[in-house]
Amino acid sequence: MAPLIPIETLSFYLSKSGFPKFRDWYKSIKYLEPIYNDLESLTYLVETSTWFEDKLRKDSINKIKNLILKYVENKIGKEPDKYFQDWINSIQQYCYQGGYGYRIQYSGYVPHHWCIISEHYDKVKTIPFEVSLCGIICDKYINLSETADFMIWTS
């Protein structure tokens, strides 16, 4: 299964093990360029705080997350979680629960169908950039098989 949205979500980048990669991650996203300076200031606060300043570190990380969420929401005109969910809803017409197709896994709030009908694979395998970004910042995922196979629904 190929991850269409990287496993490294915003929660990963804001964790102790992922934070060293955070700056490279956000600077790789031109879409976030207007908030680079604010992100840099907050990143610097986290990097230079000591473990005795845990509240400052946590507050700064929360500000980073909120800054990114609000910025993306203002750009797309919708809460990122809702934007992601709307895209998941839009692909339901290409999904079903068994037969021959491409296995798909995703997080969301709709009944999970786990096959993409073969003739619609190309429509689903390319996720719009904004949907992918919303998935990353909302800790969502989409994985899609690169090969079709027979899937049998079992409960």
Side-chain angles (χ1 to χ4, degrees):
M1 299 274 276
L4 297 179
I5 294 181
I7 304 226
E8 290 90 8
T9 63
L10 185 57
S11 287
F12 166 75
Y13 288 112
L14 297 180
S15 71
K16 186 176 180 180
S17 59
F19 202 79
K21 301 174 184 178
F22 175 68
R23 181 179 283 115
D24 290 338
W25 173 75
Y26 81 74
K27 286 195 172 187
S28 73
I29 303 172
K30 285 277 193 207
Y31 193 85
L32 299 177
E33 193 169 9
I35 60 171
Y36 279 2
N37 288 339
D38 293 332
L39 289 172
E40 185 58 35
S41 296
L42 291 166
T43 300
Y44 180 77
L45 277 174
V46 172
E47 289 174 337
T48 58
S49 64
T50 66
W51 291 110
F52 296 112
E53 299 171 305
D54 200 35
K55 181 170 175 17
L56 173 66
R57 182 182 300 264
K58 286 179 182 177
D59 288 347
S60 298
I61 286 173
N62 284 332
K63 286 178 183 178
I64 288 170
K65 185 170 186 167
N66 288 331
L67 176 65
I68 293 171
L69 285 168
K70 287 296 177 193
Y71 176 76
V72 172
E73 181 178 340
N74 288 336
K75 285 282 279 186
I76 63 175
K78 218 181 250 196
E79 292 177 9
D81 190 51
K82 174 90 171 95
Y83 194 84
F84 176 87
Q85 189 61 46
D86 286 349
W87 189 83
I88 291 292
N89 292 344
S90 77
I91 67 168
Q92 291 306 301
Q93 62 187 318
Y94 309 124
C95 300
Y96 63 108
Q97 292 181 337
Y100 190 77
Y102 295 84
R103 187 177 183 104
I104 186 168
Q105 297 173 327
Y106 53 83
S107 50
Y109 307 110
V110 296
H112 183 72
H113 295 89
W114 46 273
C115 282
I116 299 295
I117 301 168
S118 297
E119 56 267 21
H120 298 296
Y121 178 77
D122 287 337
K123 294 175 188 170
V124 176
K125 77 173 185 180
T126 304
I127 298 176
F129 170 78
E130 289 84 359
V131 172
S132 181
L133 181 61
C134 288
I136 292 168
I137 65 176
C138 293
D139 301 319
K140 304 287 184 176
Y141 67 87
I142 299 175
N143 293 327
L144 182 63
S145 174
E146 295 172 328
T147 56
D149 201 354
F150 280 99
M151 306 293 166
I152 299 170
W153 176 257
T154 58
S155 51

